[in-house]
Amino acid sequence: MQFGIFSVSDITRDPVSRETPTEAERIDAVVKIAQKAEETGFDVFAIGEHHNPPFFSSSPTTLLAYIAGSTTNLILTTATTLITTNDPVRIAEEYAMLQHLSKGRMDLMLGRGNTAPVYPWFGQDIRQGLPLALESYNLLHRLWREDVVDWEGKFRTPLQGFTSIPRPLDDVPPFVWHGSIRTPEIAEQAAYYGDGFFANNIFWPKEHYIRLIRFYRQRFEHYGHGTAKQAIVGLGGQAYVAKKSQDAKREFRPYFDQAPVYGHGPSMEDFMDLTPLSVGSPQEVIDKTLTFREHFGDYQRQLFLIDHAGLPLATVLRQLDLLGEEVIPVLRKEIAARQDPQTPAAPTHASLVTAKYGDSAPRQPRPNANRGDNVTGGSPYEDSAAQASYPRL
Amino acid sequence: MTTYKIAVINAGTSDPSSTRLLADRTAERVTALVEDHGHQASSTRIELRELAADISAALVTTLVTEKLGQAVTALGEADAIIAATPVYKAGPSGLFTSFLDVLDNDLLIAKPVVLAATAGTARHALVTDDQLRPMFAYLRTMTVPTSLFAATEDWGDPALNKRIERAALELALLMESDFARKIKDQSWPSYQHEYGSAAAVEADGSPIAIDLDTDLMRLATGGSAK
């Protein structure tokens, strides 16, 4: 079981101090938060992608590469990478590069994005968002697995003889999670490819996610990737912890009440009853988080949202200390004791390399000298069995 | 003999409320007519005043409280609906339209509905047909031909009872035709649905299976949308 944090990258006014951080301050802060996450024993750091204020994370691979350079074990990922408004070719290239630089300490989570104007800004149509996402991923999946791709789709310009460079590290594509909270087609796609499925588990009551995750598990089994219990599930959640329950509630309430997403609506107590939010003592956060596996089945990755709604850096770092000392170790122990023995661990680069090659050495693609085109067949790499055939004169 | 379920939506907020009185009288008449026809009817009252905070929470977040969920379930299970609102500012009460706003678009497909409104003056008489009817058309309901409107003076006019009687019979006959159930059984996939809609349940309460035989589901397993 992996534990991590995910950040939306919002730059929100702190409702207590009434200060809004600058973009520069918030970007520095998120780097510190990620580094602290590694120090305090978390496994994963995830960043969102946005293309409008008040967010900063338009360029997740740049941020994650920097964090990879200043950490040693942390797995860097996204929550989410927009599979709709990004060109799948650029996703293939950028994340393969991140995979090389991080030595495989990365994966990514795909999502559609729900900020309507982003679609037209990037030349797309939100009404076509779902077919666009499905088609783009079908292409991305091939770009990481085939040295040379010919492609003709509805949403991007055709490709003839295209090679996405660099090839994935060890010729093992990054693991992909598909984030969705209301789209059976996305669950179907995750299941078809044997990829992971992630429910953000933040805004809706659990019943909303239970059925979609169950559907993904059934379809994962249907497509022969393993049993339903072996499907790869990730969950979000949000927590605010203090030594004493009443302190946690008192400290977090102003942030809850004015949070951009759910503020000015239901009370914090109602929201805690109805959604996965936990605000309380370490034991309360542990107890609530332990209910997730009862609802959704044993799962592989738990991410917490802890740095949003204007919470200042010092508070977030204290949260990481407390979670790392008093919550995560207990959760690891309790979940290990309770979970079904056939539950697989979350795939990592090392496990995917072993799965593909066993004890053999992984493929290391070396390009041939530039021959000016990839179009005439075969692979542009030295080790390819396929030979280019040139027309004889 | 069939037992029909009638849901009565009341957006009146005073007590006693003339809006509620209009809705109740209509429900009583529908029940009596259904019994005359050899069936039974039971009514569930959805008092929007009691749901006001739940409706506003659902509007600004995605949270459906248990109380609001019960009202949604009652509407989903209803064989017919009586929808009554007071007229404020020359239109239906915001509480009433907010409640419609948080319902799934496919919850009320083909269900027979009596539209009812009350106002302090007869000048608002067209609110039912001009404003309520298009909303319920958007929701793909079967609004009955007679809508009910009661201004203050109508409560002293026997013609109101005649209109109630007429609308009640229209509702009873549409309901007894089982039109909504037949549409759901025979034509469910031809309407737009969103995942997680409260409407996606079979008659026995189990969820309607996710449709795998669609272009999008096929696209999920490779290829292009071209």
Side-chain angles (χ1 to χ4, degrees):
Chain A
M1 179 81 169
Q2 294 173 338
F3 290 93
I5 55 172
F6 63 146
S7 174
V8 192
S9 92
D10 60 314
I11 307 176
T12 304
R13 187 180 82 147
D14 180 335
V16 175
S17 72
R18 297 172 179 271
E19 289 283 320
T20 304
T22 64
E23 289 178 335
E25 286 165 348
R26 183 76 170 102
I27 291 168
D28 287 347
V30 89
V31 170
K32 290 197 181 79
I33 289 167
Q35 291 163 341
K36 180 83 172 183
E38 173 165 279
E39 275 170 46
T40 49
F42 285 84
D43 308 300
V44 180
F45 172 80
I47 189 77
E49 179 182 335
H50 292 273
H51 297 277
N52 54 297
F55 304 95
F56 67 79
S57 180
S58 59
S59 312
T61 53
T62 310
L63 175 71
L64 295 179
Y66 181 84
I67 295 170
S70 59
T71 52
T72 49
N73 298 313
L74 196 63
I75 295 171
L76 292 321
T77 186
T78 54
T80 62
T81 294
L82 302 177
I83 185 63
T84 46
T85 46
N86 284 306
D87 181 357
V89 169
R90 291 297 292 143
I91 296 178
E93 293 174 339
E94 288 177 11
Y95 285 86
M97 192 67 194
L98 175 65
Q99 188 193 24
H100 277 273
L101 290 174
S102 66
K103 305 295 175 211
R105 273 196 291 127
M106 59 75 72
D107 49 43
L108 69 160
M109 191 201 301
L110 301 177
R112 275 152 68 190
N114 59 6
T115 309
V118 173
Y119 286 77
W121 286 335
F122 287 85
Q124 299 294 352
D125 178 352
I126 194 169
R127 294 165 297 186
Q128 293 293 311
L130 183 53
L132 172 62
L134 296 170
E135 176 180 294
S136 296
Y137 182 63
N138 291 335
L139 172 56
L140 175 61
H141 193 267
R142 288 186 56 197
L143 290 168
W144 277 336
R145 286 165 179 81
E146 299 171 32
D147 286 351
V148 182
V149 170
D150 294 344
W151 167 265
E152 199 173 344
K154 183 175 173 185
F155 297 109
R156 93 177 293 293
T157 194
L159 298 169
Q160 292 297 326
F162 180 78
T163 299
S164 173
I165 57 159
R167 301 307 299 148
L169 179 65
D170 300 319
D171 204 23
V172 170
F175 187 72
V176 170
W177 302 80
H178 299 256
S180 174
I181 46 181
R182 56 185 159 204
T183 314
E185 289 84 355
I186 296 295
E188 174 76 0
Q189 191 170 42
Y192 174 76
Y193 287 112
D195 296 339
F197 185 73
F198 188 93
N200 81 6
N201 197 28
I202 289 185
F203 308 127
W204 268 286
K206 61 182 180 303
E207 289 72 18
H208 191 90
Y209 307 105
I210 286 176
R211 196 169 161 229
L212 203 53
I213 290 176
R214 193 177 298 151
F215 173 74
Y216 158 72
R217 288 183 184 279
Q218 285 164 358
R219 300 300 289 170
F220 184 91
E221 182 167 313
H222 169 83
Y223 286 114
H225 300 295
T227 66
K229 282 184 178 177
Q230 290 168 332
I232 306 298
V233 172
L235 292 176
Q238 48 180 340
Y240 187 94
V241 63
K243 294 262 185 196
K244 287 184 189 158
S245 181
Q246 60 269 39
D247 291 342
K249 293 187 176 69
R250 180 176 46 77
E251 289 167 23
F252 188 60
R253 190 178 307 278
Y255 297 92
F256 177 89
D257 286 347
Q258 297 189 43
V261 177
Y262 44 67
H264 312 287
S267 72
M268 190 168 82
E269 281 71 15
D270 284 348
F271 210 79
M272 283 165 61
D273 282 346
L274 290 164
T275 79
L277 171 67
S278 44
V279 181
S281 66
Q283 193 56 49
E284 285 171 314
V285 175
I286 290 164
D287 290 344
K288 181 126 184 183
T289 308
L290 283 174
T291 65
F292 294 175
R293 57 172 290 284
E294 292 165 19
H295 301 309
F296 303 106
D298 283 313
Y299 61 108
Q300 281 67 32
R301 177 174 285 182
Q302 173 67 55
L303 300 183
F304 290 106
L305 176 65
I306 62 163
D307 74 328
H308 65 136
L311 285 160
L313 176 61
T315 306
V316 176
L317 297 178
R318 269 205 313 280
Q319 287 292 303
L320 285 167
D321 276 328
L322 257 177
L323 289 167
E325 281 164 26
E326 301 196 22
V327 176
I328 304 302
V330 181
L331 282 174
R332 285 190 201 281
K333 202 170 119 226
E334 293 293 324
I335 287 172
R338 292 170 196 209
Q339 79 179 0
D340 191 298
Q342 68 164 303
T343 310
T348 60
H349 183 70
S351 77
L352 294 170
V353 167
T354 307
K356 180 166 181 180
Y357 299 102
D359 294 333
S360 313
R363 178 188 181 212
Q364 299 298 338
R366 297 167 202 269
N368 292 312
N370 187 358
R371 65 179 194 226
D373 77 281
N374 292 329
V375 182
T376 39
S379 164
Y381 291 92
E382 287 180 0
D383 63 345
S384 169
Q387 289 296 311
S389 64
Y390 298 94
R392 285 170 191 277
L393 292 175
Chain B
M1 191 189 75
T2 312
T3 302
Y4 291 103
K5 292 180 180 169
I6 303 165
V8 183
I9 305 170
N10 170 34
T13 54
S14 56
D15 192 12
S17 140
S18 60
T19 309
R20 173 157 187 184
L21 187 59
L22 181 61
D24 280 356
R25 296 197 77 145
T26 311
E28 280 163 24
R29 286 311 303 147
V30 175
T31 307
L33 286 163
V34 167
E35 284 169 5
D36 287 351
H37 300 167
H39 302 293
Q40 282 192 332
S42 70
S43 323
T44 305
R45 281 184 169 63
I46 299 173
E47 294 292 332
L48 298 190
R49 184 200 171 113
E50 294 164 15
L51 293 171
D54 308 76
I55 291 167
S56 61
L59 269 181
V60 298
T61 66
T62 52
L63 213 61
V64 175
T65 60
E66 200 180 334
K67 242 164 72 182
L68 181 58
Q70 285 166 357
V72 169
T73 304
L75 279 178
E77 290 175 350
D79 299 300
I81 293 161
I82 296 163
T85 177
V87 172
Y88 301 147
K89 308 288 185 281
S93 143
L95 181 59
F96 182 83
T97 56
S98 295
F99 178 62
L100 296 187
D101 285 348
V102 300
L103 298 180
D104 292 306
N105 285 346
D106 56 355
L107 186 67
L108 306 182
I109 290 173
K111 290 183 195 282
V113 180
V114 170
L115 302 173
T118 57
T121 159
R123 290 188 188 91
H124 294 309
L126 277 176
V127 162
T128 45
D129 288 326
D130 253 16
Q131 300 191 39
L132 294 184
R133 207 176 279 278
M135 290 176 190
F136 283 83
Y138 178 82
L139 291 166
R140 306 256 185 271
T141 61
M142 282 285 292
T143 46
V144 305
T146 301
S147 32
L148 297 175
F149 175 81
T152 311
E153 59 267 32
D154 286 308
W155 294 103
D157 183 350
L160 177 62
N161 277 347
K162 286 187 184 162
R163 291 202 300 276
I164 291 173
E165 188 70 21
R166 208 166 78 193
L169 181 64
E170 290 164 356
L171 189 76
L173 293 180
L174 278 172
M175 178 168 74
E176 288 163 11
S177 77
D178 269 347
F179 180 71
R181 193 166 305 162
K182 287 174 189 164
I183 289 288
K184 190 165 183 179
D185 288 350
Q186 295 174 34
S187 191
W188 171 261
S190 69
Y191 294 85
Q192 275 192 4
H193 306 286
E194 274 184 33
Y195 171 78
S197 163
V201 287
E202 304 279 6
D204 65 2
S206 64
I208 288 178
I210 292 169
D211 189 1
L212 296 168
D213 185 22
T214 66
D215 288 344
L216 285 171
M217 279 295 188
R218 282 182 282 278
L219 182 58
T221 63
S224 85
K226 201 167 183 183

